[in-house]
Amino acid sequence: RIQLRKKRKPSYEEKDSEGEEYAESSEEDESDDELSIEEEVSRQKRKGRHTNDDAARKKRGRVLGQKKRSENYPDLEMWCPVSKGKISEVGRAVLDKLRDLDHLELFSRPVCEDFPSLADSYLREVKNPMDFRTIEHERLPTYGHISQLQEDLILTFRNCCIFNREPSEYFSYALKFWQTLNDIYYEVRAFHFCDTN
């Protein structure tokens, strides 16, 4: 990727051979400013092109527009694809493995359903609630790419981190799931592809 740098003007005055001071002409100053503005506009246009889903797929740590609250949030690489016919099978297997590991059953059902007394404060903090049951019954059948499952699972764990904050037990619990998510996916994926060959 090419990085454009804004041209800097010298912060000193140069002297010619006769010892007289001179500065750059105002025409050159204006052209540098115009070029810098053009470079800036061009950079902004390129930057704007990447605000779609493709940018979110490169690193799976945050949803676009959501602020990162902790430097400890993992950045996960996008899952490699599976055939469209295998998305549900692999997705259910990933969810089953995660459920087995979730001994607190923290992610199994919607938080507002399990803890109605926390619903108002939870929804003030968390804009897009997500849980394993919602993923399996409502979202999984609609996925066109396995990375959509990855995004929803990360959203589940991030929501827990946002609501519970560091250094709470639930924050650490969710973070462990988030950090091992790719390992779980590749383990499940390898098993399912070995079984079918």
Side-chain angles (χ1 to χ4, degrees), residues 57 81-88 139-149:
R57 289 183 183 156
V82 297
S83 66
K84 200 164 184 155
K86 286 271 193 188
I87 291 174
S88 288
R139 309 274 297 162
L140 191 58
T142 68
Y143 293 151
H145 194 279
I146 196 70
S147 65
Q148 292 172 292
L149 171 62

Side-chain angles (χ1 to χ4, degrees), residues 57-58 60 76-80 145 147 150 182 186:
R57 289 183 183 156
K58 294 199 185 226
R60 301 277 187 227
L76 303 180
E77 293 298 320
M78 183 176 78
W79 289 351
C80 64
H145 194 279
S147 65
Q150 183 186 26
N182 279 9
Y186 285 108

Side-chain angles (χ1 to χ4, degrees), residues 4-7 9 26-43:
L4 298 174
R5 293 184 183 163
K6 191 174 179 178
K7 291 184 180 180
K9 297 176 187 165
S26 61
E27 287 178 14
E28 286 177 64
D29 289 345
E30 288 173 13
S31 66
D32 283 348
D33 287 341
E34 287 174 22
L35 186 57
S36 297
I37 291 168
E38 288 172 9
E39 288 175 351
E40 181 66 22
V41 168
S42 175
R43 187 178 67 77

